[in-house]
Amino acid sequence: MSQTSASQSYYLLTKGLTMTTSKKRDLIEGRAALIVIDIQKSTFAPIPDDKRAIAHMPDYAERMARSKEAIDKAREVGIPVIFIQEIHRANLIDMGRETDGDEDVHCLDSNPLTAFAEEELGMLPDDYRISKRRYSAFYGTDLEILLRGLKAETLILVGGLTDVCVHYTFVDAHQGDYFCRVIENCVAGSSLEAHKASLNAMEYLQHGAIRTLDEVLSAMENKAETQAA
């Protein structure tokens, strides 16, 4: 192959790659599901920061409470809401490696604060609820089966921690070919720095993944109007 032909081939290849990866996606592609990750009673309990088993960035509880706006809008427009709960047996048999880093023992089934934050989130008796033993909502749960039944293509994530359970759930969803969206002002991390770093990492995987609550509420409303037309 001549140098000119090789240059042309390289140009066409790189141009094709650029065209493929720069395709603009809608905020909601196909059917959506709202995934509420680990917003539990401990989130809103008056526990001093230095006594918490897991560090929280400033305004953590306020960000979690704001998720109710997304939950209420999803219910209004017919988007299914799935609540995720991290929970471990009190004898720690399923804690695994989760205390090998910065985190202390957490989310024990013997602790009433491990329960879902039902009142704060306005949960209903027939809501979809999934308990998990690991950070990702997909690992060892039936979330994938539920999503398949719901025919969901876009997953909208809220909850915590941005740098742990939200991030790992996002990555598993991404690898499962879901469109993933994170409501930036409805997630919170172990620190502001960790929060921002994980948002950047998720945006790297899917451009347009990080969105504001207003953007998502508007997209939900527009989707409902389009389907009704």
Side-chain angles (χ1 to χ4, degrees):
M1 180 183 293
S2 68
Q3 185 174 356
T4 302
S5 298
S7 299
Q8 291 174 337
S9 296
Y10 178 77
Y11 171 77
L12 291 172
L13 175 63
T14 55
K15 182 181 179 183
L17 288 172
T18 302
M19 291 174 62
T20 299
T21 57
S22 63
K23 180 179 180 181
K24 184 175 176 58
R25 298 288 188 181
D26 291 335
L27 195 156
I28 297 177
E29 294 273 356
R31 295 188 182 184
L34 177 64
I35 314 297
V36 183
I37 300 173
D38 297 356
I39 304 182
Q40 296 165 225
K41 287 191 178 297
S42 59
T43 301
F44 304 105
I47 303 171
D49 288 344
D50 62 348
K51 300 295 183 183
R52 286 190 176 274
I54 300 175
H56 286 176
M57 64 183 269
D59 75 348
Y60 188 97
E62 291 80 1
R63 285 169 168 268
M64 298 301 100
R66 195 177 295 126
S67 298
K68 189 173 185 300
E69 294 184 49
I71 294 168
D72 290 345
K73 175 57 74 171
R75 293 192 193 284
E76 178 187 324
V77 302
I79 292 174
V81 184
I82 303 171
F83 294 89
I84 309 297
Q85 172 199 38
E86 182 169 346
I87 187 168
H88 299 282
R89 294 179 175 85
N91 65 2
L92 308 184
I93 195 69
D94 54 22
M95 185 63 68
R97 303 272 65 79
E98 291 196 7
T99 57
D100 285 5
D102 285 353
E103 296 184 2
D104 204 343
V105 173
H106 55 277
C107 296
L108 299 184
D109 59 12
S110 57
N111 187 344
L113 295 180
T114 298
F116 287 103
E118 296 190 0
E119 295 79 15
E120 291 84 353
L121 300 181
M123 291 178 66
L124 303 176
D126 60 349
D127 278 328
Y128 297 116
R129 304 176 185 220
I130 290 181
S131 295
K132 62 185 175 67
R133 309 291 184 180
R134 292 292 183 268
Y135 295 136
S136 171
F138 286 92
Y139 193 94
T141 74
D142 67 345
L143 177 58
E144 180 67 31
I145 294 173
L146 175 57
L147 293 173
R148 205 177 303 142
L150 294 171
K151 297 179 172 58
E153 296 177 59
T154 297
L155 306 187
I156 302 169
L157 309 183
V158 299
L161 297 171
T162 315
D163 48 312
V164 188
C165 297
V166 173
H167 193 166
Y168 299 160
T169 299
F170 181 106
V171 170
D172 280 350
H174 172 77
Q175 294 178 141
D177 297 333
Y178 291 97
F179 300 102
C180 304
R181 309 290 181 250
V182 177
I183 306 181
E184 187 279 331
N185 41 345
C186 294
V187 296
S190 58
S191 69
L192 183 57
E193 295 74 17
H195 167 77
K196 290 179 177 179
S198 280
L199 292 178
N200 289 338
M202 290 184 277
E203 181 69 18
Y204 175 90
L205 293 178
Q206 291 193 22
H207 292 174
I210 309 307
R211 302 296 186 123
T212 66
L213 176 59
D214 286 344
E215 286 179 306
V216 173
L217 295 180
S218 178
M220 287 180 174
E221 186 66 39
N222 291 339
K223 191 73 171 179
E225 291 174 356
T226 300
Q227 292 175 341

